[in-house]
Amino acid sequence: MAEAAIVRVRHCGAAIFGRRVPERCPACGRPLRGSELLSAPLRLPSPFRHGHRQPRAFLLRPTAGTFLGGYDGKSDLHVGITNSNGVVYNYDAEGVHRAGTGWEQCISVPLVQPHMYGLLQQWDQLLEEFSAGEPWLPHRYDEHEHNCYTYALAFINSILTTQGKREMTKSEFTEKFVIPQTKRAARYITLHQELTANDFYIVPLPQQEQQC
């Protein structure tokens, strides 16, 4: 899913965000051409990834809609695990799904490092066998106690166990891997929403960062 770029320039002691670089500063009206290097335009990287192009990853997306398509920050989120071909295994009240579409705008947490050769080869088989287990039958689903996150974390912990590593609690995994990503996403969503309504979004910089 294509996203319109967001760029940032610094001027007048503020960070100025927009879809394009303005010829003149929206705050003071002075030309921006010839500004110092510290004020050079910077394109902000999107925190979102095409989930079906993220092999062996933990994915997070809104249950309905997309992050940049009206997500309010409070609606339910859905998670899944990709196989080596980007098929997203995810669990809900109907059991385990193997989705080839629908996860085009996600937060992605890679789960396998390139040097883990054995796991790279076994990943798909382990994921398929795990997903066929009795705990993931439809009647076992519970929205609060036995849900998509339960499924994804249980699979991750099964991998950690086979590697002789300690399992992670939900709070540990969330704190270490999910929250840093969702904080970046929340800032990006705010910028996106502001620039949907306005040409530019101006944020005063802390005193120590004001260069011009």
Side-chain angles (χ1 to χ4, degrees):
M1 181 177 297
E3 298 172 20
I6 296 179
V7 294
R8 185 197 72 194
V9 294
R10 294 185 177 189
H11 205 261
C12 295
I16 301 166
F17 299 92
R19 299 295 186 187
R20 56 181 173 80
V21 180
E23 293 185 3
R24 294 180 175 273
C25 173
C28 70
R30 287 181 292 171
L32 288 179
R33 182 175 296 179
S35 295
E36 2 178 328
L37 180 61
L38 287 172
S39 304
L42 173 69
R43 178 171 176 159
L44 300 187
S46 171
F48 305 116
R49 300 290 178 267
H50 192 303
H52 301 290
R53 298 173 186 164
Q54 306 297 313
R56 309 174 193 91
F58 172 94
L59 301 183
L60 178 73
R61 68 162 172 80
T63 300
T66 64
F67 282 115
L68 298 181
Y71 178 65
D72 60 7
K74 301 176 183 177
S75 303
D76 289 341
L77 296 172
H78 193 45
V79 305
I81 303 283
T82 53
N83 70 5
S84 61
N85 296 312
V87 174
V88 184
Y89 284 60
N90 60 102
Y91 177 62
D92 63 15
E94 298 177 354
V96 175
H97 300 268
R98 296 157 180 81
T101 60
W103 297 72
E104 289 79 14
Q105 191 183 92
C106 302
I107 291 172
S108 174
V109 178
L111 296 174
V112 183
Q113 300 302 316
H115 68 274
M116 299 177 177
Y117 304 113
L119 190 53
L120 289 171
Q121 298 301 318
Q122 300 173 22
W123 186 265
D124 289 0
Q125 179 182 350
L126 292 171
L127 182 56
E128 185 61 43
E129 290 176 353
F130 176 85
S131 301
E134 191 272 339
W136 316 116
L137 292 174
H139 72 275
R140 295 291 302 275
Y141 181 83
D142 179 87
E143 182 179 356
H144 302 291
E145 301 296 332
H146 195 78
N147 52 31
C148 60
Y149 207 127
T150 311
Y151 163 81
L153 184 59
F155 175 70
I156 292 169
N157 277 330
S158 74
I159 297 297
L160 291 174
T161 299
T162 62
Q163 296 178 316
K165 298 179 180 178
R166 184 178 66 85
E167 293 187 0
M168 301 184 73
T169 65
K170 180 179 179 180
S171 59
E172 286 175 328
F173 183 82
T174 302
E175 183 74 26
K176 184 174 182 180
F177 296 106
V178 178
I179 289 179
Q181 298 266 26
T182 54
K183 284 183 176 179
R184 284 183 59 236
R187 291 192 290 268
Y188 195 88
I189 290 170
T190 297
L191 291 173
H192 172 79
Q193 292 173 342
E194 290 288 342
L195 294 176
T196 298
N198 305 286
D199 289 337
F200 300 101
Y201 180 51
I202 302 173
V203 181
L205 290 169
Q207 187 68 37
Q208 64 270 24
E209 294 185 30
Q210 296 185 10
Q211 300 290 340
C212 59

